[in-house]
């Protein structure tokens, strides 16, 4: 047997083992188990082909190189913890206005990363942004900061901007936006329960409470009470984070009316998620919505086996993540694509299973009116397969004075795919919200 044949045989054997792990995880799920078997077979074929063409060690080294290449997800603030109603510890970080040690150097690296994301080199040999492009990126970054500083005026009326991340992500998904606002305005970044650095949900561990969007809204209220006990607030939410912001308004309308002076809803939905096709044909879409909850529940029961399967089929999942995260994955900088992949990989399969059913029953269209009186930004990628842009257009119909931005060729992780554009609109929102906060303060005086 030749060396190439041995490599191929080893690849098929390893892929078959991965498929077996997935299949064993699905045996207790009835008809859902059959679906897992089909997915496992496809995963095995994909892994076998990948491993016959590129060595496993080489692929691993490539991932490690990409992980080390950029500053993505490295920004840290002053840590804190809020306690949810069921005792779950919710981790957050606060960035205060003013310079930080090494801040200029970090911001320059992040500005270069944002420029790289915009230019989107689709090959792994793409060189770092240098010279004129680097200076242009840094000047744009500096320009946003100057605009914010001028708009905020007196610190007493400056709002705190609170970021809520999406499903299977963490606060680090706001890396570029955090950098753009860093040092000029107070920001709070928190991890949803069972995500990032927050604790696993106590109610989910002991089985006393299922995850709902309303529960996440109450979690956000706990974070706001702990991290922003006074002063105006701008709420920014992506995907599930946007739904969390809606749930806050639904349950605490008086708080929103008194404290919230601006809102950004990015790549999110107010409801009807059970109708999303995920880019599948009609029959495939119906099968997915029918089978997915049972499949994920079965996988959650067998999470140790499944996690081994996820690691073994990492290449297949990387392709799926790119397809559903970015509108034009071939144009996204490889380091940013890997960063998005790493964020999603970090979410355990049992957490994925716990949260998924909440989206089918999510409906917060009526609660949106609570934000009709404040400056609002509704932004989505036109190629978003998870929360399609039409859902953002529906939100904008309820908030007629909101700025609606639909970004051509951008996908679900639009804040990573098109960071400079998102930053520009976010800074504009904070400017408008700051002006509104000053006007409101003067009116009450």
């Amino acid at each position: 047997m030749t060396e190439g044949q041995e490599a191929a045989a080893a690849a098929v054997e390893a892929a078959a083992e991965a498929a077996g792990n997935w299949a064993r995880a699905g045996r207790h799920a009835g008809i859902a188990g059959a679906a897992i078997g089909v997915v496992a077979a496809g995963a095995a074929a994909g892994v076998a082909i990948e491993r016959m063409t590129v060595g496993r060690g080489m692929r691993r080294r490539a991932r490690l190189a990409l992980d080390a290449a950029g500053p993505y997800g490295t920004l840290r603030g002053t840590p804190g913890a809020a306690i949810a109603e069921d005792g779950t510890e919710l981790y957050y970080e606060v960035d205060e206005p003013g310079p930080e040690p090494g801040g200029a150097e970090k911001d320059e690296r992040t500005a270069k990363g944002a420029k790289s994301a915009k230019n989107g080199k689709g090959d792994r040999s793409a060189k770092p942004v240098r010279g004129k492009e680097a200076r242009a990126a840094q000047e744009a970054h500096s320009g946003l900061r100057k605009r914010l500083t001028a708009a905020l005026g007196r610190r007493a009326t400056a709002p705190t901007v609170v970021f809520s991340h999406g499903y299977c992500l963490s606060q680090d998904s706001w890396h570029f936006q955090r950098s753009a606002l860093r040092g000029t305005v107070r920001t709070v970044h928190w991890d949803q329960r069972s995500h990032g650095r927050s604790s696993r949900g106590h109610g989910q561990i002991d089985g006393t409470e299922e995850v709902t969007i309303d529960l996440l809204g109450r979690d956000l209220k706990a974070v706001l009470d702990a991290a922003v006990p006074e002063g105006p607030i701008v709420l920014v939410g992506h995907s599930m984070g946007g739904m969390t912001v809606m749930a806050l308004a639904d349950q605490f309308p008086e708080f929103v009316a008194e404290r919230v002076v601006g809102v950004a809803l990015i790549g999110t939905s107010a409801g009807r998620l059970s109708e999303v096709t995920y880019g599948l044909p009609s029959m495939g879409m119906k099968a997915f919505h029918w089978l997915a909850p049972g499949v994920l529940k079965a996988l959650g029961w067998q999470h140790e086996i499944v996690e081994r399967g996820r690691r073994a089929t990492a290449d297949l999942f990387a392709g799926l993540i790119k397809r559903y995260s970015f509108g034009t994955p071939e144009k996204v900088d490889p380091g940013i694509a890997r960063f998005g992949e790493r964020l999603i990989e970090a979410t355990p399969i049992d957490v994925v299973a716990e949260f998924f059913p909440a989206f089918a029953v999510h409906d917060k269209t009526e609660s949106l009116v609570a934000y009709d009186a404040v400056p609002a930004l509704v932004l989505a990628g036109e190629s978003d397969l998870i929360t399609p842009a039409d859902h953002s257009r529906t939100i904008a119909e309820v908030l007629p004075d909101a700025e609606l931005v639909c970004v051509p060729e951008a996908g679900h992780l639009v804040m990573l795919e098109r960071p400079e554009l998102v930053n520009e609109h976010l800074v504009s929102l904070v400017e408008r919200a700051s002006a509104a906060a000053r006007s409101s303060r003067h009116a009450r005086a």
Side-chain angles (χ1 to χ4, degrees):
M1 183 180 290
T2 67
E3 184 178 346
Q5 288 172 327
E6 289 177 355
V12 172
E13 182 179 352
E17 180 183 355
N21 286 339
W22 285 98
R24 282 194 294 277
R27 284 175 186 163
H28 302 292
I31 192 167
I36 294 174
V38 173
V39 172
V47 172
I49 292 170
E50 176 72 14
R51 292 185 180 180
M52 281 188 284
T53 55
V54 181
R56 183 175 185 176
M58 186 180 295
R59 293 194 316 277
R60 184 173 181 274
R61 286 194 295 273
R63 284 196 179 90
L64 289 173
L66 287 173
D67 289 345
Y72 316 124
T74 60
L75 299 177
R76 299 269 66 90
T78 303
I83 305 302
E85 61 187 23
D86 63 354
T88 300
E89 188 174 282
L90 304 169
Y91 179 85
Y92 66 82
E93 292 179 358
V94 179
D95 290 349
E96 298 287 355
E100 62 160 342
E105 182 182 347
K106 289 180 183 178
D107 291 339
E108 183 176 357
R109 291 200 305 270
T110 297
K112 290 178 180 179
K115 189 72 175 181
S116 178
K118 180 180 178 182
N119 292 340
K121 307 303 181 186
D123 62 273
R124 293 180 183 269
S125 62
K127 296 180 180 179
V129 179
R130 301 183 186 277
K132 292 182 179 179
E133 287 188 345
R135 285 195 297 273
Q138 184 64 16
E139 287 171 4
H141 205 66
S142 177
L144 291 178
R145 288 172 173 274
K146 290 178 180 177
R147 278 177 50 191
L148 266 181
T149 301
L152 292 175
R154 293 178 58 189
R155 295 292 185 198
T157 58
T160 296
V161 185
V162 181
F163 290 84
S164 300
H165 69 79
Y167 182 47
C168 298
L169 298 172
S170 75
Q171 63 174 270
D172 292 343
S173 62
W174 296 109
H175 176 85
F176 292 114
Q177 292 67 48
R178 184 172 191 168
S179 177
L181 301 183
R182 199 169 177 84
T184 58
V185 61
R186 188 174 191 266
T187 60
V188 175
H189 308 261
W190 70 291
D191 290 324
Q192 302 259 18
R193 63 171 55 224
S194 302
H195 290 69
R197 297 169 179 82
S198 285
S199 299
R200 287 296 305 272
H202 288 191
Q204 293 71 64
I205 292 174
D206 59 25
T208 58
E209 185 174 16
E210 294 182 348
V211 173
T212 63
I213 301 300
D214 282 339
L215 174 62
L216 304 185
R218 296 194 293 275
D219 285 351
L220 174 55
K221 179 61 162 56
V223 170
L224 294 174
D225 288 344
V228 200
E230 59 183 7
I233 299 169
V234 174
L235 297 172
V236 183
H238 168 251
S239 192
M240 182 177 76
M243 302 173 204
T244 301
V245 167
M246 298 176 206
L248 175 78
D250 189 37
Q251 298 171 94
F252 304 99
E254 296 86 1
F255 176 87
V256 168
E258 181 181 347
R259 299 284 306 282
V260 176
V261 296
V263 63
L265 301 170
I266 300 176
T268 191
S269 171
R272 299 177 65 181
L273 287 168
S274 60
E275 300 174 11
V276 175
T277 68
Y278 301 105
L280 300 170
S282 178
M283 288 299 294
M285 180 269 288
K286 291 177 181 178
F288 175 84
H289 284 293
W290 180 44
L291 293 172
V295 171
L296 287 172
K297 190 173 184 180
L299 295 177
W301 287 337
Q302 304 291 322
H303 61 90
E304 291 183 0
I305 294 174
V306 172
E307 293 302 338
R308 289 199 295 271
R310 285 176 81 178
R311 289 191 292 271
T313 57
D315 301 297
L316 177 68
F317 281 96
L320 289 173
I321 288 170
K322 286 180 183 178
R323 168 169 166 72
Y324 283 96
S325 297
F326 305 108
T328 51
E330 70 281 359
K331 295 182 180 179
V332 175
D333 179 88
I336 292 173
R338 172 59 188 155
F339 175 50
E341 179 186 339
R342 213 169 66 232
L343 288 169
I344 296 169
E345 282 177 351
T347 309
I349 191 65
D350 45 338
V351 173
V352 177
E354 286 171 2
F355 277 68
F356 186 79
F359 301 115
V361 295
H362 164 63
D363 183 1
K364 288 290 180 282
T365 304
E366 293 184 0
S367 68
L368 286 169
V369 296
Y371 297 116
D372 190 31
V374 300
L377 167 66
V378 181
L379 188 147
E382 281 285 9
S383 299
D384 191 334
L385 297 175
I386 296 177
T387 51
D390 281 346
H391 286 235
S392 288
R393 293 187 181 95
T394 298
I395 292 172
E397 289 175 2
V398 182
L399 301 175
D401 293 331
E403 179 187 16
L404 174 64
V405 181
C406 294
V407 186
E409 298 186 327
H412 191 59
L413 298 187
V414 62
M415 68 283 191
L416 294 179
E417 189 172 11
R418 297 293 300 278
E420 290 188 326
L421 184 147
V422 174
N423 292 351
E424 175 71 29
H425 288 284
L426 187 57
V427 166
S428 177
L429 171 69
V430 176
E431 288 175 333
R432 289 183 283 129
S434 299
R438 284 196 297 272
S439 298
S440 176
R441 185 168 177 267
H442 292 155
R444 290 195 299 266

